[in-house]
Amino acid sequence: MTCSKPKVFITRELFDEAIERIKKYYDVEVWDRYTPPPYEVLRSKLKEADAAATLLTDKIDCKLLEEAKNLRIIAQYAVGYDNIDVECATKLGIYVTNTPGVLTEATAELAWTLILATARRVVEADVYVRWGEWWRTKTGWHPKMMLGTQVTGKTLGIVGMGRIGRRVAKIAKGFDMKILYYDVARLPEELEKELGAKYVDLDTLLRESDIVTLHVPLTKETYHLINEERLRKMKKGAILVNTSRGAVVDTNALIKALREGWLAGAGLDVHESEPLPPNHSITAFNNVVLAPHIGSATYETRLAMAMLVADNLIAFAEGRTPPTLVNKDVVKVRPPGFK
Ligand code: GLV
Ligand code: GLV
C-alpha cells in the first residue's frame, strides 16, 4: 500500500535543517518571499493543506479555519499565538502548537538591552557621535553631557512572570535591584524567594517601579493593559519597556505620557502596528529606543524555534501529542495524527 504524505504549507522560509526533517513526513510547500502571504493566498493555501506552519504575521481567523477542511495542525513559529483563533481551532479539532522555552533567554536579553539602552541613552549617544554633533559642539567631556538614569539598586517592575519574566528577574539580581512582579497567578513562595521577587498588584507595581517591563501574552484581558490611567500611576522619570505585544500598551496614551514628560523614556520592540511607519509620532521622541520585533532574533533561538516547529509537526504525523501543544483540550475532539 502506498499512501501519500500529508501536505504542509509553511508561510515563510524556516531553516533548512528544520525543513529537511519535516520533508520526511510531509509534502512541503514554503512561501519563499520576504513578505507574508496575503490573507487570500493564505486562505486558498490552507484549503488545500493538512498542516501549516505559521508566523505571528499570519492572521488565522475562524472563517479561514472553517474552510480548511483537511487542516489538522497549525505549528506556530512563535511563543505568542494571538494571531490564531485558538478557541475556534479547538472546536474544529485543529491542533495548535507554539515555541515556548527556546526563546526565553533571547527575549529576556533583548528586554535588558532596551532597559539599558533607554536608561543610558545609548542610541541617542550613537547618533550624537556618528552625525558629528559631538565634534561640532567641541564638548569633549562635560559633567552634564548625556546624563541617563542608573539602573543598579533601582526597583524593577515585571508585568507577567512567565518564563521570560523570570529570566528578566534573574538578570536583575546582578544589578542588585528590588524586584516587584504582577501576574494573574502568583508564583510558589520558594520561587519568589529564589528570584528575590515580591508579588504586588499592578497599581502598586506601577507606582513603585523605576523600570517597568512587560512580559504578558496579548489576550482580551491584556489589550491596552497599560492605558492612560495606568501610565499616570507610574513614577515621573520611570522607563517602560515592551518586548511582549504592541497592543498591551495604548500607544496614543504612551505618546501623551512622553510628550508631557511623565516618563523618562521607553524601549519598544513591539508596536500596535507592525511594521511601524517611519513617520509614526513615536519615532519623534529621542528618548524612545525602537526595535522591529526582534526579541527572539538570535541565530541560536530562531533555529531552535524552527526545530521545535518540526518536532511538533513530526509528533503529530506519528500520531503522538505534539510536545508544545497550546490547546490541550483538542485531544478530546480528535486524536493526533492524519488517520
Ligand atoms: C514573538 O513575538 C513570539 O511570540 O515568539
Ligand atoms: C514565554 O515563553 C513565557 O512564558 O514568558
Side-chain angles (χ1 to χ4, degrees):
M1 191 184 85
T2 60
C3 58
S4 59
K5 290 181 198 167
K7 275 197 235 172
V8 63
F9 180 62
I10 302 181
T11 67
R12 225 68 48 79
E13 268 180 28
L14 302 181
F15 291 75
D16 291 345
E17 294 93 319
I19 300 282
E20 289 312 313
R21 288 180 55 211
I22 296 167
K23 276 186 179 161
K24 296 198 181 108
Y25 295 81
Y26 289 86
D27 268 340
V28 172
E29 185 184 355
V30 178
W31 179 258
D32 59 6
R33 306 201 201 155
Y34 208 70
T35 52
Y39 180 75
E40 288 309 321
V41 172
L42 196 58
R43 226 178 117 191
S44 72
K45 293 288 183 191
L46 293 198
K47 270 188 206 165
E48 307 293 317
D50 303 296
T54 55
L55 269 58
L56 50 95
T57 40
D58 302 315
K59 187 172 168 49
I60 312 286
D61 57 23
C62 203
K63 176 175 135 202
L64 185 151
L65 290 172
E66 278 167 354
E67 290 174 356
K69 299 285 182 223
N70 300 325
L71 191 66
R72 295 287 178 271
I73 176 168
I74 301 168
Q76 166 94 339
Y77 183 74
V79 68
Y81 42 82
D82 46 280
N83 56 306
I84 302 171
D85 188 335
V86 176
E87 203 180 314
C88 178
T90 307
K91 271 191 217 133
L92 296 168
I94 299 171
Y95 284 58
V96 178
T97 67
N98 67 339
T99 61
V102 294
L103 45 62
T104 304
E105 286 76 17
T107 309
E109 285 175 9
L110 190 82
W112 267 104
T113 305
L114 292 177
I115 291 170
L116 293 169
T118 308
R120 299 305 301 274
R121 303 169 60 184
V122 170
V123 176
E124 222 185 312
D126 179 278
V127 169
Y128 188 74
V129 177
R130 194 179 297 262
W131 296 94
E133 201 52 25
W134 192 33
W135 177 257
R136 275 192 289 277
T137 56
K138 303 191 168 50
T139 322
W141 192 93
H142 189 282
K144 292 183 180 166
M145 186 175 86
M146 283 277 157
L147 299 188
T149 307
Q150 179 162 311
V151 165
T152 302
K154 293 284 170 66
T155 300
L156 177 68
I158 302 175
V159 180
M161 203 58 149
R163 299 175 196 81
I164 298 168
R166 297 200 296 270
R167 191 77 208 179
V168 167
K170 267 194 190 161
I171 300 171
K173 287 177 83 177
F175 289 102
D176 296 332
M177 296 182 91
K178 179 175 172 191
I179 304 166
L180 305 176
Y181 81 97
Y182 167 75
D183 199 310
V184 281
R186 193 170 163 175
L187 294 178
E189 218 172 297
E190 227 167 274
L191 197 49
E192 282 185 356
K193 264 206 199 110
E194 189 190 315
L195 294 168
K198 184 179 166 201
Y199 184 76
V200 290
D201 60 54
L202 184 55
D203 287 352
T204 305
L205 182 145
L206 295 171
R207 258 198 311 273
E208 295 185 4
S209 300
D210 300 294
I211 295 156
V212 173
T213 181
L214 308 175
H215 302 286
V216 291
L218 177 62
T219 62
K220 280 187 207 85
E221 289 72 33
T222 63
Y223 176 82
H224 284 190
L225 180 70
I226 305 300
N227 55 16
E228 176 167 344
E229 190 195 333
R230 296 233 163 86
L231 285 165
R232 283 185 185 279
K233 291 191 170 127
M234 285 179 69
K235 269 191 189 177
K236 195 172 159 68
I239 286 169
L240 178 70
V241 166
N242 190 8
T243 53
S244 62
R245 282 292 181 273
V248 174
V249 178
D250 177 345
T251 310
N252 289 330
L254 176 61
I255 286 167
K256 188 168 174 190
L258 290 163
R259 190 169 285 144
E260 297 179 10
W262 321 336
L263 299 181
L268 307 172
D269 182 43
V270 289
H271 312 276
E272 283 199 82
S273 155
E274 293 180 4
L276 188 73
N279 59 355
H280 191 285
S281 23
I282 198 82
T283 64
F285 296 95
N286 51 17
N287 55 343
V288 174
V289 177
L290 298 167
H293 203 146
I294 54 169
S296 65
T298 66
Y299 180 80
E300 296 90 332
T301 289
R302 288 285 166 83
L303 176 61
M305 287 164 67
M307 288 304 193
L308 190 46
V309 165
D311 291 344
N312 280 306
L313 288 172
I314 292 167
F316 188 85
E318 289 182 335
R320 291 183 286 120
T321 301
T324 51
L325 181 62
V326 167
N327 53 349
K328 305 236 174 349
D329 285 345
V330 74
V331 300
K332 292 180 212 152
V333 184
R334 208 196 309 257
F338 291 104
K339 296 224 177 57

